[in-house]
Amino acid sequence: MNDLILIRPSKVLEREIMEYRQEYFDFGETQVNGSCGLAYYDNFDEWLNLVLSIEKDKLRNGVHTSTFFSVRKKDNKIIGSIKLHHFLTPDLENGGHIAYGIRPSERKKGYCKQQLLLILDVARKMKIPKVMIVCDKDNIASAKTAISCNGILINDVIYKGVEQQHYLIQLK
């Protein structure tokens, strides 16, 4: 099953990206995981400038980050968002290399695994030897996704009062 492609955010996609964001809010969610803080920006251009700058020019939390949206090929609908930190600093050890989310209306359809496999290919091309995925212990869907892509549980920790699990995926 290869229904998705990854695309970088752009001004051309403003309407679709903001509709994607709104769906999270409509479902009572306050974050848009894997979107580099999209939920916190009412001004699309400000958010887009941040996303584009931290990939190449500026560091955020000491790291460059690439942000993508997964788009379903058959109808060009944005299905999910995913970001990849190019490396980890000690501050990001509890956040991992990869964060991802699937729009609420498209969950439980296998898209998250497809999206993760696509970003793992990006990481391989960037010569990242391994990636860590961190999820809250009660986020069973995220843990299953990491495991389905050869993630190995390496750590259970409590971070800021929340139980988390760290999964490692070797890319070599």
Side-chain angles (χ1 to χ4, degrees):
M1 193 156 75
N2 189 14
D3 300 331
L4 304 178
I5 58 170
L6 292 182
I7 59 167
R8 295 179 188 280
S10 68
K11 184 70 174 168
V12 173
L13 296 169
E14 179 176 4
R15 183 181 57 79
E16 292 89 345
I17 290 171
M18 295 308 278
E19 287 173 359
Y20 172 78
R21 173 186 183 258
Q22 187 60 47
E23 184 173 315
Y24 278 81
F25 297 158
D26 292 347
F27 274 74
E29 298 181 27
T30 58
Q31 292 188 46
V32 182
N33 293 326
S35 71
C36 203
L38 179 61
Y40 309 114
Y41 288 85
D42 291 325
N43 182 308
F44 180 82
D45 292 332
E46 285 180 22
W47 172 81
L48 183 61
N49 287 335
L50 168 74
V51 167
L52 297 177
S53 70
I54 64 172
E55 181 166 19
K56 303 263 184 232
D57 305 325
K58 288 184 180 175
L59 295 175
R60 184 178 189 197
N61 300 321
V63 170
H64 290 289
T65 302
S66 297
T67 301
F68 298 88
F69 288 93
S70 57
V71 174
R72 189 167 47 209
K73 292 176 190 177
K74 72 178 180 183
D75 60 4
N76 291 318
K77 182 178 183 179
I78 293 176
I79 300 299
S81 47
I82 191 161
K83 69 179 181 178
L84 170 66
H85 295 303
H86 298 189
F87 58 91
L88 294 182
T89 63
D91 289 342
L92 286 174
E93 291 280 326
N94 288 304
H97 284 89
I98 298 171
Y100 44 77
I102 297 293
R103 74 186 311 145
S105 64
E106 298 291 343
R107 292 178 182 158
K108 298 183 180 180
K109 297 178 181 179
Y111 290 125
C112 199
K113 179 179 179 180
Q114 285 184 58
Q115 180 178 250
L116 181 54
L117 288 169
L118 290 169
I119 204 72
L120 293 175
D121 285 341
V122 172
R124 278 186 196 91
K125 289 175 184 164
M126 294 174 73
K127 308 270 190 249
I128 298 172
K130 59 188 174 187
V131 295
M132 184 169 49
I133 296 173
V134 176
C135 60
D136 292 351
K137 190 169 185 164
D138 64 356
N139 188 343
I140 296 181
S142 186
K144 284 183 176 180
T145 298
I147 291 166
S148 74
C149 294
N150 298 318
I152 305 294
L153 178 63
I154 59 166
N155 215 355
D156 276 297
V157 299
I158 296 178
Y159 180 69
K160 295 185 178 182
V162 177
E163 288 184 85
Q164 292 184 331
Q165 295 180 316
H166 294 191
Y167 291 88
L168 193 65
I169 300 175
Q170 296 288 343
L171 297 178
K172 287 188 170 186

